Amino acid sequence: CITKLQITWMYKIIFPIYASFIPIGLYHTYSKYLSKKSSFLASYLFILIKPFYIIIPFLTKQLTAEIFLLLILMLFMSKLHKFKKMLLLTIFGLSLIVSHYGTSYLVVVMMIFTVAFLKIFEMLKKEKINYDVKIKSYMILYMIFTLGWYIYISNSTSFASLVSIGNTIAHSIFNEFSNPEYSRGAYILTKQSPLLGRLSKCMYLTISGLMLVGHLKILFDILKSKLNFNLLIYLAFSTYWLCILTAAVAVPFFAVMNPYRLYHLAFFILAPFSIIGTIFIFNSIKKIRMVDVGYNKVLRFLTIFFTFFMLLNTGFVSEILKQPPYSRYLSESTILNQNNNVINETGAFYSGIIETHDMFSAKWIKNYKNNSINIYNTLGWGQGNAVLMAYGHISPKNIYPIHEQTTNVNKDGYIYL
């Protein structure tokens, strides 16, 4: 309103600038415990995870919440005075809650998990932790405000949805455990992919495996040493997000938030463990095989690995080799000029863009439709609800989905092709 900037440029300039602050903040956080080179590679890995540059800049509510999540993480790892830290944590926590309900619910559970995790560690080590923050008080305050906001201020819609989803998960967990038909995470891991898609999947699994090794290594190191509040907090957060990623694959209906977005959120905390895991594996090889593998050689290996990962993820390799899966940003002409053997790539391309004729058709129906007649829509994103809402000013409540199994289409309804 102040700058009179068009909303298009908000998405093209302002929100990408916001997103660019996140890896810088993560580098600052990681460098408290890792070397500068390792911290750089960890924050670079965070950037390489696809949702960071494909999904998050357009999901402005989640992006805003992630800024506050980053600030919370930085505060927990800082050495500020207890009162200042608690005050800022409260401000940023409340800001996160009003930004995005999905992220705020995940953080609520993270706080509860962290309190339980710290208690277990105290019992195992028989040692008291020197708390920098009154974590229990903060957790209670955060929970109260979250529940209050989403029950009373937001008409309890998202809270009711959460309860309904929890009920569905509880009823299906014993019958459909890790079933790809009901788990979005399991479906992504098991679905058929072209050669480069399978290679990309293998690289993601390799990074996840290295992350798990690194996490276990730090866990055993902390069990052997004197308890440190900041390190324990970080370990608690990372253990929680590992549990979230496991549940996204194994638990039916758990991944209500897109699994790609969950993976991206998890790498706020988990990215450094991939570096730690790689260094640990190379050091273990050095001890067993007596191979001279220095720290700098490990970092060179990771640099080459991440560079190829970046070229594969962005679609550069696909475009050079003319092989799917393609990127609609780099391979428009390749996709549209290919034969029908890979028609799914053409469909995926058109489902993510808004064509000129879609825009004009949405404007036409806005001007000429009978408001008492329903609109039935056959597609999603680019050619579906988005264009009807943006250019036709039609409420999503008045748009009904239609697919092969739909039998209840009113004969007087509009069908938007």
Side-chain angles (χ1 to χ4, degrees):
C1 294
I2 296 172
T3 62
K4 306 296 183 184
L5 191 67
Q6 291 183 353
I7 194 168
T8 303
W9 296 109
M10 288 291 292
Y11 280 93
K12 287 186 175 182
I13 298 176
I14 304 301
F15 289 118
I17 289 175
Y18 286 166
S20 70
F21 290 135
I22 296 176
I24 297 171
L26 291 177
Y27 171 79
H28 174 77
T29 303
Y30 301 156
S31 61
K32 292 181 182 295
Y33 305 103
L34 298 176
S35 70
K36 289 185 177 180
K37 289 181 180 179
S38 295
S39 302
F40 173 80
L41 283 174
S43 54
Y44 179 53
L45 175 59
F46 174 80
I47 293 171
L48 296 181
I49 305 300
K50 267 188 177 181
F52 176 75
Y53 54 90
I54 288 181
I55 300 174
I56 299 304
F58 307 104
L59 298 176
T60 53
K61 290 187 290 183
Q62 182 170 335
L63 173 57
T64 307
E66 288 184 6
I67 296 289
F68 294 115
L69 179 60
L70 170 65
L71 292 169
I72 290 169
L73 178 62
M74 291 174 69
L75 276 171
F76 269 117
M77 300 300 111
S78 73
K79 295 180 180 177
L80 276 177
H81 184 271
K82 287 184 181 181
F83 174 76
K84 291 180 181 177
K85 187 183 280 193
M86 192 68 180
L87 177 63
L88 290 172
L89 280 171
T90 303
I91 293 170
F92 295 147
L94 300 185
S95 302
L96 189 156
I97 290 165
V98 301
S99 299
H100 184 237
Y101 73 90
T103 307
S104 64
Y105 285 148
L106 287 166
V107 173
V108 163
V109 184
M110 184 176 77
M111 294 298 173
I112 298 170
F113 181 91
T114 300
V115 172
F117 187 89
L118 294 177
K119 272 295 171 192
I120 291 169
F121 249 81
E122 282 186 330
M123 291 166 61
L124 288 173
K125 294 279 289 181
K126 297 179 181 177
E127 182 182 338
K128 292 294 286 183
I129 300 170
N130 183 22
Y131 286 86
D132 284 355
V133 176
K134 292 181 178 177
I135 187 75
K136 289 183 188 175
S137 303
Y138 183 66
M139 177 199 74
I140 293 168
L141 177 66
Y142 189 93
M143 285 181 64
I144 290 171
F145 196 85
T146 302
L147 294 174
W149 178 263
Y150 289 113
I151 291 174
Y152 298 109
I153 307 299
S154 299
N155 298 321
S156 72
T157 305
S158 61
F159 183 76
S161 299
L162 183 70
V163 173
S164 175
I165 291 162
N167 188 47
T168 303
I169 291 171
H171 278 83
S172 60
I173 193 167
F174 295 107
N175 300 319
E176 306 295 345
F177 192 74
S178 203
N179 187 335
E181 289 186 24
Y182 301 98
S183 169
R184 296 169 77 185
Y187 171 74
I188 289 170
L189 288 177
T190 57
K191 73 175 182 179
Q192 292 295 317
S193 304
L195 177 61
L196 292 180
R198 292 196 296 274
L199 178 58
S200 177
K201 194 184 297 184
C202 286
M203 296 190 80
Y204 272 102
L205 290 172
T206 301
I207 288 168
S208 301
L210 293 170
M211 174 190 71
L212 181 60
V213 171
H215 181 270
L216 291 174
K217 198 262 183 194
I218 296 299
L219 176 62
F220 286 118
D221 285 350
I222 291 179
L223 280 170
K224 294 177 186 175
S225 60
K226 188 175 175 63
L227 296 183
N228 177 288
F229 176 74
N230 286 353
L231 277 175
L232 275 176
I233 284 284
Y234 200 96
L235 188 64
F237 289 174
S238 61
T239 306
Y240 167 76
W241 283 105
L242 275 174
C243 294
I244 289 292
L245 292 183
T246 304
V249 174
V251 180
F253 305 107
F254 182 86
V256 178
M257 183 186 285
N258 186 309
Y260 296 107
R261 290 162 62 188
L262 277 177
Y263 197 76
H264 159 79
L265 270 174
F267 262 73
F268 260 81
I269 311 294
L270 297 175
F273 292 106
S274 296
I275 314 301
I276 295 167
T278 307
I279 294 170
F280 173 75
I281 289 172
F282 273 84
N283 286 339
S284 300
I285 293 171
K286 181 179 179 181
K287 289 176 184 176
I288 297 168
R289 298 285 186 180
M290 295 298 182
V291 180
D292 183 19
V293 183
Y295 174 70
N296 287 329
K297 288 183 179 178
V298 178
L299 294 186
R300 287 192 201 111
F301 165 78
L302 282 171
T303 302
I304 295 168
F305 182 78
F306 289 165
T307 301
F308 182 73
F309 185 54
M310 179 267 291
L311 293 173
L312 189 64
N313 260 354
T314 54
F316 179 85
V317 174
S318 297
E319 177 58 18
I320 293 297
L321 299 179
K322 304 299 181 186
Q323 293 292 321
Y326 295 107
S327 163
R328 70 172 65 97
Y329 309 107
L330 296 179
S331 306
E332 179 178 352
S333 60
T334 302
I335 294 169
L336 298 183
N337 293 330
Q338 66 189 345
N339 59 46
N340 287 337
N341 292 331
V342 278
I343 194 69
N344 286 343
E345 294 292 331
T346 309
F349 173 79
Y350 280 115
S351 71
I353 63 170
I354 292 178
E355 288 282 333
T356 306
H357 53 257
D358 296 326
M359 180 185 70
F360 279 105
S361 66
K363 287 185 174 182
W364 183 89
I365 201 167
K366 176 185 73 172
N367 293 326
Y368 296 105
K369 75 180 179 71
N370 182 332
N371 289 328
S372 64
I373 297 178
N374 296 333
I375 297 177
Y376 296 92
N377 169 37
T378 57
L379 296 168
W381 294 98
Q383 290 176 301
N385 290 3
V387 70
L388 289 172
M389 290 187 287
Y391 295 101
H393 299 167
I394 297 167
S395 168
K397 295 185 220 177
N398 299 326
I399 304 172
Y400 297 84
I402 180 173
H403 43 75
E404 290 176 3
Q405 288 77 34
T406 303
T407 56
N408 59 343
V409 176
N410 190 316
K411 67 179 181 179
D412 294 324
Y414 298 105
I415 296 180
Y416 186 76
L417 301 176

